[in-house]
């Protein structure tokens, strides 16, 4: 792996994890690890281009049908692919089909880019992870096998103690906080061969006092009402949180930081 390589473009493919939920910006949009990574890469390379095709709620079959061919046609230097975890959380999940579709995606994307990046997704401590752990680990074993076969990189977030901490997960217990996304961006950055900006991203946060029993029960009730029941409702009716939503950044264009204020030059151009 080249140290501090120069890449001119990045395309991100996936679901809500790559879209950036729940790293919310002041305007209500989501940032996330892929945007943070693009910002770092753009700071090193003038004219750096970035596309993010991810849409929340997508299953691996939808990612293959709706995103993979588009991403491959962009011929970016770096492509990130994270998908299949939404499938593992469904009560009826055909892991053979999921792995077959993931294989199809990798086989299409790997020849189209200089560097394909796959991930072993993070898992939050708690009963949900324990219930679905066997499926997740079966998916990650497939990721490892595909990476070895096609020369892709694997970012091991599942094995990072820091990202299992519930404090790095939003109230919905499915998406990382801004700090969680920052650590993921750092992990990908280092995996691509760049010098660390945070060598301790894997290190857990300092311990704090655990909330008492009553506070935990109140949080559980709020989670069930605001997040779990709507999620179950969408499953029962065949709906998805991503229905009708466009890709986050559908075109491979020069990166612009949405949080950066316009300069005088920008004002003149407008």
């Amino acid at each position: 792996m080249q140290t501090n390589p120069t890449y001119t473009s990045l395309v991100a493919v996936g679901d809500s994890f790559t879209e950036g939920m729940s790293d919310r910006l002041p305007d209500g949009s989501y940032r996330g690890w892929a945007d943070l990574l693009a910002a770092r890469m753009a700071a090193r390379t003038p004219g750096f281009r970035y596309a993010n095709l991810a849409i929340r709620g997508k299953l691996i079959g939808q990612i293959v049908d709706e995103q993979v061919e588009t991403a491959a046609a962009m011929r970016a230097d770096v492509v990130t692919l994270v998908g299949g975890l939404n499938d593992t959380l469904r009560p009826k999940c055909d892991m053979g089909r999921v792995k077959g579709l993931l294989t199809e995606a990798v086989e299409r994307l790997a020849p189209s880019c200089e560097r394909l990046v796959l991930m072993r997704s993070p898992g939050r401590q708690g009963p949900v992870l324990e219930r679905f752990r066997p499926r997740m680990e079966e998916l990650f074993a497939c990721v490892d096998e595909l990476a070895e076969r096609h020369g892709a990189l694997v970012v091991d977030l599942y094995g990072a103690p820091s990202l299992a901490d519930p404090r790095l997960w939003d109230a919905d217990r499915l998406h990382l906080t801004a700090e969680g996304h920052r650590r993921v961006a750092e992990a990908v950055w280092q995996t691509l061969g760049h010098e660390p900006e945070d060598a301790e991203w894997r290190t857990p946060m300092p311990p704090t006092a655990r909330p008492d029993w009553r506070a935990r029960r109140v949080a559980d009730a709020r989670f069930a009402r605001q997040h779990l029941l709507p999620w179950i409702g969408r499953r029962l009716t065949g709906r998805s949180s991503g229905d009708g939503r466009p890709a986050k950044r559908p075109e491979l264009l020069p990166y612009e930081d949405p949080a950066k204020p316009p300069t005088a030059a920008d004002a003149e151009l407008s």
Side-chain angles (χ1 to χ4, degrees), residues 231-252:
W231 184 85
I232 292 173
R234 290 194 297 271
R235 300 291 80 75
L236 293 175
T237 57
R239 294 178 292 117
S240 168
S241 57
D243 288 348
R245 290 185 178 272
K248 183 175 184 178
R249 291 175 59 98
E251 298 182 77
L252 187 60

PDB file of all heavy atoms in Angstrom, residues 231-252:
ATOM      1  N   TRP A 231     -40.216   1.500  12.632  1.00  0.00           N
ATOM      2  CA  TRP A 231     -39.404   0.573  11.819  1.00  0.00           C
ATOM      3  C   TRP A 231     -40.186  -0.713  11.546  1.00  0.00           C
ATOM      4  O   TRP A 231     -40.221  -1.201  10.409  1.00  0.00           O
ATOM      5  CB  TRP A 231     -38.099   0.275  12.555  1.00  0.00           C
ATOM      6  CG  TRP A 231     -37.138  -0.584  11.792  1.00  0.00           C
ATOM      7  CD1 TRP A 231     -36.224  -0.183  10.862  1.00  0.00           C
ATOM      8  CD2 TRP A 231     -37.005  -2.014  11.889  1.00  0.00           C
ATOM      9  NE1 TRP A 231     -35.521  -1.272  10.376  1.00  0.00           N
ATOM     10  CE2 TRP A 231     -35.983  -2.409  10.991  1.00  0.00           C
ATOM     11  CE3 TRP A 231     -37.641  -2.992  12.653  1.00  0.00           C
ATOM     12  CZ2 TRP A 231     -35.583  -3.721  10.834  1.00  0.00           C
ATOM     13  CZ3 TRP A 231     -37.250  -4.315  12.501  1.00  0.00           C
ATOM     14  CH2 TRP A 231     -36.232  -4.667  11.603  1.00  0.00           C
ATOM     15  N   ILE A 232     -40.826  -1.254  12.579  1.00  0.00           N
ATOM     16  CA  ILE A 232     -41.626  -2.470  12.401  1.00  0.00           C
ATOM     17  C   ILE A 232     -42.786  -2.197  11.450  1.00  0.00           C
ATOM     18  O   ILE A 232     -43.114  -3.030  10.583  1.00  0.00           O
ATOM     19  CB  ILE A 232     -42.147  -2.964  13.770  1.00  0.00           C
ATOM     20  CG1 ILE A 232     -40.977  -3.452  14.629  1.00  0.00           C
ATOM     21  CG2 ILE A 232     -43.172  -4.076  13.574  1.00  0.00           C
ATOM     22  CD1 ILE A 232     -41.371  -3.809  16.048  1.00  0.00           C
ATOM     23  N   GLY A 233     -43.409  -1.031  11.579  1.00  0.00           N
ATOM     24  CA  GLY A 233     -44.514  -0.679  10.699  1.00  0.00           C
ATOM     25  C   GLY A 233     -44.099  -0.653   9.235  1.00  0.00           C
ATOM     26  O   GLY A 233     -44.840  -1.123   8.362  1.00  0.00           O
ATOM     27  N   ARG A 234     -42.920  -0.115   8.964  1.00  0.00           N
ATOM     28  CA  ARG A 234     -42.436  -0.091   7.573  1.00  0.00           C
ATOM     29  C   ARG A 234     -42.175  -1.502   7.066  1.00  0.00           C
ATOM     30  O   ARG A 234     -42.437  -1.816   5.894  1.00  0.00           O
ATOM     31  CB  ARG A 234     -41.176   0.771   7.476  1.00  0.00           C
ATOM     32  CG  ARG A 234     -41.431   2.256   7.655  1.00  0.00           C
ATOM     33  CD  ARG A 234     -40.233   3.079   7.219  1.00  0.00           C
ATOM     34  NE  ARG A 234     -39.033   2.815   8.009  1.00  0.00           N
ATOM     35  CZ  ARG A 234     -38.716   3.463   9.127  1.00  0.00           C
ATOM     36  NH1 ARG A 234     -39.519   4.393   9.603  1.00  0.00           N
ATOM     37  NH2 ARG A 234     -37.600   3.184   9.774  1.00  0.00           N
ATOM     38  N   ARG A 235     -41.651  -2.368   7.939  1.00  0.00           N
ATOM     39  CA  ARG A 235     -41.404  -3.746   7.520  1.00  0.00           C
ATOM     40  C   ARG A 235     -42.721  -4.451   7.171  1.00  0.00           C
ATOM     41  O   ARG A 235     -42.803  -5.189   6.194  1.00  0.00           O
ATOM     42  CB  ARG A 235     -40.692  -4.530   8.625  1.00  0.00           C
ATOM     43  CG  ARG A 235     -39.341  -4.003   9.075  1.00  0.00           C
ATOM     44  CD  ARG A 235     -38.241  -4.136   8.041  1.00  0.00           C
ATOM     45  NE  ARG A 235     -38.296  -3.095   7.030  1.00  0.00           N
ATOM     46  CZ  ARG A 235     -37.927  -1.846   7.223  1.00  0.00           C
ATOM     47  NH1 ARG A 235     -37.497  -1.456   8.389  1.00  0.00           N
ATOM     48  NH2 ARG A 235     -37.976  -0.969   6.240  1.00  0.00           N
ATOM     49  N   LEU A 236     -43.739  -4.242   7.991  1.00  0.00           N
ATOM     50  CA  LEU A 236     -45.010  -4.931   7.776  1.00  0.00           C
ATOM     51  C   LEU A 236     -45.727  -4.452   6.524  1.00  0.00           C
ATOM     52  O   LEU A 236     -46.479  -5.208   5.894  1.00  0.00           O
ATOM     53  CB  LEU A 236     -45.919  -4.739   8.996  1.00  0.00           C
ATOM     54  CG  LEU A 236     -45.454  -5.421  10.296  1.00  0.00           C
ATOM     55  CD1 LEU A 236     -46.374  -5.046  11.453  1.00  0.00           C
ATOM     56  CD2 LEU A 236     -45.390  -6.932  10.126  1.00  0.00           C
ATOM     57  N   THR A 237     -45.503  -3.195   6.150  1.00  0.00           N
ATOM     58  CA  THR A 237     -46.197  -2.638   4.984  1.00  0.00           C
ATOM     59  C   THR A 237     -45.316  -2.616   3.734  1.00  0.00           C
ATOM     60  O   THR A 237     -45.744  -2.116   2.694  1.00  0.00           O
ATOM     61  CB  THR A 237     -46.671  -1.207   5.294  1.00  0.00           C
ATOM     62  OG1 THR A 237     -45.543  -0.400   5.682  1.00  0.00           O
ATOM     63  CG2 THR A 237     -47.691  -1.213   6.420  1.00  0.00           C
ATOM     64  N   GLY A 238     -44.084  -3.120   3.850  1.00  0.00           N
ATOM     65  CA  GLY A 238     -43.199  -3.160   2.693  1.00  0.00           C
ATOM     66  C   GLY A 238     -42.637  -1.821   2.285  1.00  0.00           C
ATOM     67  O   GLY A 238     -42.201  -1.640   1.147  1.00  0.00           O
ATOM     68  N   ARG A 239     -42.672  -0.853   3.210  1.00  0.00           N
ATOM     69  CA  ARG A 239     -42.121   0.467   2.905  1.00  0.00           C
ATOM     70  C   ARG A 239     -40.697   0.590   3.419  1.00  0.00           C
ATOM     71  O   ARG A 239     -40.247  -0.212   4.234  1.00  0.00           O
ATOM     72  CB  ARG A 239     -43.001   1.560   3.534  1.00  0.00           C
ATOM     73  CG  ARG A 239     -44.387   1.646   2.951  1.00  0.00           C
ATOM     74  CD  ARG A 239     -45.228   2.711   3.649  1.00  0.00           C
ATOM     75  NE  ARG A 239     -45.519   2.335   5.023  1.00  0.00           N
ATOM     76  CZ  ARG A 239     -45.117   2.991   6.095  1.00  0.00           C
ATOM     77  NH1 ARG A 239     -44.356   4.076   5.947  1.00  0.00           N
ATOM     78  NH2 ARG A 239     -45.431   2.602   7.315  1.00  0.00           N
ATOM     79  N   SER A 240     -39.997   1.603   2.940  1.00  0.00           N
ATOM     80  CA  SER A 240     -38.635   1.869   3.374  1.00  0.00           C
ATOM     81  C   SER A 240     -38.468   3.359   3.634  1.00  0.00           C
ATOM     82  O   SER A 240     -39.128   4.189   2.988  1.00  0.00           O
ATOM     83  CB  SER A 240     -37.618   1.420   2.312  1.00  0.00           C
ATOM     84  OG  SER A 240     -36.320   1.926   2.594  1.00  0.00           O
ATOM     85  N   SER A 241     -37.578   3.701   4.564  1.00  0.00           N
ATOM     86  CA  SER A 241     -37.308   5.113   4.836  1.00  0.00           C
ATOM     87  C   SER A 241     -36.682   5.810   3.642  1.00  0.00           C
ATOM     88  O   SER A 241     -36.686   7.038   3.557  1.00  0.00           O
ATOM     89  CB  SER A 241     -36.376   5.242   6.044  1.00  0.00           C
ATOM     90  OG  SER A 241     -35.166   4.524   5.824  1.00  0.00           O
ATOM     91  N   GLY A 242     -36.150   5.041   2.702  1.00  0.00           N
ATOM     92  CA  GLY A 242     -35.523   5.632   1.520  1.00  0.00           C
ATOM     93  C   GLY A 242     -36.422   5.734   0.307  1.00  0.00           C
ATOM     94  O   GLY A 242     -35.984   6.227  -0.741  1.00  0.00           O
ATOM     95  N   ASP A 243     -37.668   5.299   0.425  1.00  0.00           N
ATOM     96  CA  ASP A 243     -38.578   5.333  -0.728  1.00  0.00           C
ATOM     97  C   ASP A 243     -38.726   6.762  -1.251  1.00  0.00           C
ATOM     98  O   ASP A 243     -39.045   7.692  -0.504  1.00  0.00           O
ATOM     99  CB  ASP A 243     -39.950   4.794  -0.334  1.00  0.00           C
ATOM    100  CG  ASP A 243     -39.952   3.290  -0.125  1.00  0.00           C
ATOM    101  OD1 ASP A 243     -38.960   2.639  -0.504  1.00  0.00           O
ATOM    102  OD2 ASP A 243     -40.940   2.768   0.428  1.00  0.00           O
ATOM    103  N   GLY A 244     -38.486   6.924  -2.541  1.00  0.00           N
ATOM    104  CA  GLY A 244     -38.667   8.221  -3.179  1.00  0.00           C
ATOM    105  C   GLY A 244     -37.521   9.196  -2.985  1.00  0.00           C
ATOM    106  O   GLY A 244     -37.567  10.308  -3.523  1.00  0.00           O
ATOM    107  N   ARG A 245     -36.506   8.815  -2.233  1.00  0.00           N
ATOM    108  CA  ARG A 245     -35.381   9.727  -1.983  1.00  0.00           C
ATOM    109  C   ARG A 245     -34.332   9.591  -3.079  1.00  0.00           C
ATOM    110  O   ARG A 245     -34.005   8.491  -3.493  1.00  0.00           O
ATOM    111  CB  ARG A 245     -34.730   9.435  -0.627  1.00  0.00           C
ATOM    112  CG  ARG A 245     -35.596   9.805   0.558  1.00  0.00           C
ATOM    113  CD  ARG A 245     -34.850   9.608   1.868  1.00  0.00           C
ATOM    114  NE  ARG A 245     -35.660  10.011   2.994  1.00  0.00           N
ATOM    115  CZ  ARG A 245     -35.701  11.239   3.474  1.00  0.00           C
ATOM    116  NH1 ARG A 245     -34.960  12.183   2.917  1.00  0.00           N
ATOM    117  NH2 ARG A 245     -36.473  11.537   4.498  1.00  0.00           N
ATOM    118  N   PRO A 246     -33.776  10.709  -3.520  1.00  0.00           N
ATOM    119  CA  PRO A 246     -32.696  10.644  -4.515  1.00  0.00           C
ATOM    120  C   PRO A 246     -31.372  10.322  -3.833  1.00  0.00           C
ATOM    121  O   PRO A 246     -31.245  10.399  -2.602  1.00  0.00           O
ATOM    122  CB  PRO A 246     -32.679  12.064  -5.086  1.00  0.00           C
ATOM    123  CG  PRO A 246     -33.118  12.926  -3.933  1.00  0.00           C
ATOM    124  CD  PRO A 246     -34.148  12.097  -3.180  1.00  0.00           C
ATOM    125  N   ALA A 247     -30.381   9.975  -4.615  1.00  0.00           N
ATOM    126  CA  ALA A 247     -29.042   9.781  -4.081  1.00  0.00           C
ATOM    127  C   ALA A 247     -28.535  11.083  -3.478  1.00  0.00           C
ATOM    128  O   ALA A 247     -28.915  12.179  -3.900  1.00  0.00           O
ATOM    129  CB  ALA A 247     -28.101   9.306  -5.184  1.00  0.00           C
ATOM    130  N   LYS A 248     -27.663  10.966  -2.512  1.00  0.00           N
ATOM    131  CA  LYS A 248     -27.178  12.132  -1.786  1.00  0.00           C
ATOM    132  C   LYS A 248     -26.414  13.088  -2.694  1.00  0.00           C
ATOM    133  O   LYS A 248     -26.652  14.294  -2.689  1.00  0.00           O
ATOM    134  CB  LYS A 248     -26.283  11.669  -0.638  1.00  0.00           C
ATOM    135  CG  LYS A 248     -25.777  12.783   0.243  1.00  0.00           C
ATOM    136  CD  LYS A 248     -24.994  12.210   1.418  1.00  0.00           C
ATOM    137  CE  LYS A 248     -24.549  13.302   2.368  1.00  0.00           C
ATOM    138  NZ  LYS A 248     -23.832  12.754   3.539  1.00  0.00           N
ATOM    139  N   ARG A 249     -25.463  12.575  -3.461  1.00  0.00           N
ATOM    140  CA  ARG A 249     -24.689  13.357  -4.436  1.00  0.00           C
ATOM    141  C   ARG A 249     -24.598  12.516  -5.701  1.00  0.00           C
ATOM    142  O   ARG A 249     -23.645  11.760  -5.882  1.00  0.00           O
ATOM    143  CB  ARG A 249     -23.286  13.671  -3.913  1.00  0.00           C
ATOM    144  CG  ARG A 249     -23.234  14.653  -2.746  1.00  0.00           C
ATOM    145  CD  ARG A 249     -21.805  14.805  -2.227  1.00  0.00           C
ATOM    146  NE  ARG A 249     -20.902  15.286  -3.257  1.00  0.00           N
ATOM    147  CZ  ARG A 249     -20.538  16.557  -3.409  1.00  0.00           C
ATOM    148  NH1 ARG A 249     -21.024  17.482  -2.610  1.00  0.00           N
ATOM    149  NH2 ARG A 249     -19.701  16.897  -4.363  1.00  0.00           N
ATOM    150  N   PRO A 250     -25.590  12.596  -6.586  1.00  0.00           N
ATOM    151  CA  PRO A 250     -25.700  11.651  -7.701  1.00  0.00           C
ATOM    152  C   PRO A 250     -24.675  11.820  -8.807  1.00  0.00           C
ATOM    153  O   PRO A 250     -24.531  10.928  -9.642  1.00  0.00           O
ATOM    154  CB  PRO A 250     -27.117  11.907  -8.223  1.00  0.00           C
ATOM    155  CG  PRO A 250     -27.412  13.315  -7.844  1.00  0.00           C
ATOM    156  CD  PRO A 250     -26.733  13.532  -6.529  1.00  0.00           C
ATOM    157  N   GLU A 251     -23.971  12.962  -8.834  1.00  0.00           N
ATOM    158  CA  GLU A 251     -22.997  13.190  -9.901  1.00  0.00           C
ATOM    159  C   GLU A 251     -21.595  13.312  -9.318  1.00  0.00           C
ATOM    160  O   GLU A 251     -21.412  13.803  -8.196  1.00  0.00           O
ATOM    161  CB  GLU A 251     -23.351  14.467 -10.665  1.00  0.00           C
ATOM    162  CG  GLU A 251     -24.699  14.411 -11.358  1.00  0.00           C
ATOM    163  CD  GLU A 251     -24.982  15.684 -12.130  1.00  0.00           C
ATOM    164  OE1 GLU A 251     -24.423  15.852 -13.226  1.00  0.00           O
ATOM    165  OE2 GLU A 251     -25.750  16.525 -11.613  1.00  0.00           O
ATOM    166  N   LEU A 252     -20.616  12.891 -10.098  1.00  0.00           N
ATOM    167  CA  LEU A 252     -19.214  12.986  -9.685  1.00  0.00           C
ATOM    168  C   LEU A 252     -18.706  14.379 -10.041  1.00  0.00           C
ATOM    169  O   LEU A 252     -18.278  14.630 -11.163  1.00  0.00           O
ATOM    170  CB  LEU A 252     -18.386  11.902 -10.385  1.00  0.00           C
ATOM    171  CG  LEU A 252     -16.936  11.756  -9.928  1.00  0.00           C
ATOM    172  CD1 LEU A 252     -16.857  11.410  -8.450  1.00  0.00           C
ATOM    173  CD2 LEU A 252     -16.227  10.690 -10.765  1.00  0.00           C
TER     174      LEU A 252
END
